[in-house]
Amino acid sequence: MIKSIICKIRVLMALVLVILLMCLVITGCDEESQKVEDVSQTQAPSTIEEPTKEPTQVIADTSMYVNVIDDIISKDNGNEDCFSGMLYDLDNNGVEELIVVHSIPGYMGDETVSTFGIVVCSVYTIADGEAKCLLEEKEIYREIAGPDGDVSIIEKDGQTLMKIFMESGETSGPHMHRGGTHTYYAYSNDDFAVKNLVEYDYYTTDDSYEISYNESSGVIDGEDVSYYEVEEYVNDCEVLYKMKYVYPDRENEHLLLSLREELAE
């Protein structure tokens, strides 16, 4: 009887021991699994660095402008010594635009007249392997009524712009009256368009050539402003280059014929 009881106790103890061992094994597996999970959560994900893409370099053969220049010269009557031209990358894409200040014969209606010429500006770029016109013979001024004007490349509010300036009117006498415009062009994303327009009229005082500010005024992008505001707006920029229609007896640092020779080499 006693032996039977002892055997049962031993069997029971063995079962308890087996259960304890199984609990220890299961607990150990859970802890190890938790450690693996914690490591996987804290470990930084693997990243694959993509190769840095170099900016696409636009290559353009500016010698294509030679034919454009020849065509411009052929439209006038021997005044090519007065023409100005330069290359400048207006949209900063690696392609230099051709900017030309030149003249074309004067006209009235459909009839060409030889008594005066029209000073104009034309702008070209190179796209799809050929010269493309961005601005064709934009009138700056007619060679009458004491005109003045130029084309300049400026930096204004962090942007590169091309500006066409023109002015005409009375050239002498008391209370002289003149007026003009400053037209700002921006070129980006293949779009060459007017960005800002300043129009103005001014009078001089009766006894000098000083501006009579009380009588002078302007308009900036459709908004009426004082002449003081016109001056402030126009002067608030950095002029990088300036080109004019320059008569043969004056020095021209941007002579179009010189530029043509450089491009043809």
Side-chain angles (χ1 to χ4, degrees), residues 69 72-73 76-86 99-104 117-120 140-141 143 149-151 242-258:
I69 293 173
I72 288 174
I73 291 174
D76 200 69
N77 300 320
N79 293 330
E80 57 268 22
D81 288 339
C82 306
F83 296 175
S84 295
M86 68 175 298
I99 306 166
V100 183
V101 177
H102 58 110
S103 68
I104 58 176
I118 303 173
V119 176
V120 298
I140 303 176
Y141 60 79
E143 296 182 275
D150 57 56
V151 175
K242 182 178 289 187
M243 297 190 302
K244 295 176 69 73
Y245 181 81
V246 182
Y247 294 97
D249 59 341
R250 302 175 187 177
E251 184 178 351
N252 186 358
E253 61 179 318
H254 298 294
L255 183 63
L256 182 62
L257 292 179
S258 298

Side-chain angles (χ1 to χ4, degrees), residues 14-34:
L15 288 173
V16 171
L17 182 60
V18 169
I19 292 172
L20 288 175
L21 288 173
M22 291 180 65
C23 288
L24 288 174
V25 170
I26 293 173
T27 302
C29 290
D30 288 343
E31 290 179 353
E32 187 65 27
S33 176
Q34 184 64 37

